[in-house]
Amino acid sequence: MQMSVTDALVHIMVMTAVSDKDVTEREMDRFAALIGRWPIFEEFDIARLSEVASACVETINRAGLDALLNQIAETLEPRLQETAYAIAVEIATVDLTLNQEELRMLEMIRDAFSIDRLTTAAIETSARIRHRKL
């Protein structure tokens, strides 16, 4: 069954959050903030977040991460793959540190979507600037 674009983007959020095995309260808050503010999620019913997140984890456990990334890549057109990468970076950087697992997840997403290094660097720099503190 083909997943919707918004479900694919939520899957990216969940995959990134669970990459280090510990979904923090800040990551959960960022899920809600992104869904509530980003225009791409206008049609997404936030009441479905738990259902979609559970489906993501179930798919990872059943089919594996690579299979899920391939399905998401097939669902998203190239410009939305860049959006998905930006979402992943937002989730990964919310706690102001990137561990090895999160870096590896971003690399896997970048490779699955074939996003060029200049674009990913711009997305990563933008996130770093947004999350800066004094």
Side-chain angles (χ1 to χ4, degrees):
M1 181 177 153
Q2 181 71 18
M3 73 173 63
S4 72
V5 167
T6 54
D7 284 8
L9 296 173
V10 170
H11 277 64
I12 288 292
M13 283 193 275
V14 172
M15 290 168 53
T16 305
V18 302
S19 66
D20 61 359
K21 310 282 190 265
D22 186 27
V23 180
T24 66
E25 191 66 35
R26 288 181 66 119
E27 288 169 330
M28 294 301 293
D29 290 346
R30 185 56 49 111
F31 284 11
L34 292 174
I35 291 169
R37 292 186 190 127
W38 284 29
I40 194 80
F41 291 108
E42 285 178 349
E43 303 298 318
F44 185 78
D45 178 6
I46 196 149
R48 292 188 55 242
L49 180 57
S50 178
E51 168 194 337
V52 177
S54 293
C56 175
V57 172
E58 180 182 312
T59 302
I60 292 169
N61 290 336
R62 185 186 73 249
L65 201 50
D66 288 333
L68 181 56
L69 277 170
N70 288 336
Q71 183 181 11
I72 292 169
E74 290 173 7
T75 300
L76 301 175
E77 60 185 89
R79 70 185 182 91
L80 294 179
Q81 291 177 3
E82 292 173 350
T83 301
Y85 188 75
I87 288 169
V89 170
E90 283 294 314
I91 298 301
T93 59
V94 74
D95 56 6
L96 304 178
T97 60
L98 285 172
N99 60 40
Q100 282 304 117
E101 293 86 0
E102 290 168 321
L103 289 169
R104 177 66 182 128
M105 178 58 65
L106 292 175
E107 180 182 358
M108 290 175 71
I109 293 168
R110 183 177 62 237
D111 292 347
F113 296 163
S114 300
I115 301 172
D116 67 84
R117 290 294 299 146
L118 186 59
T119 301
T120 59
I123 291 168
E124 292 161 5
T125 300
S126 177
R128 191 170 44 253
I129 291 168
R130 274 193 311 284
H131 292 293
R132 264 191 200 136
K133 292 184 176 184
L134 289 178

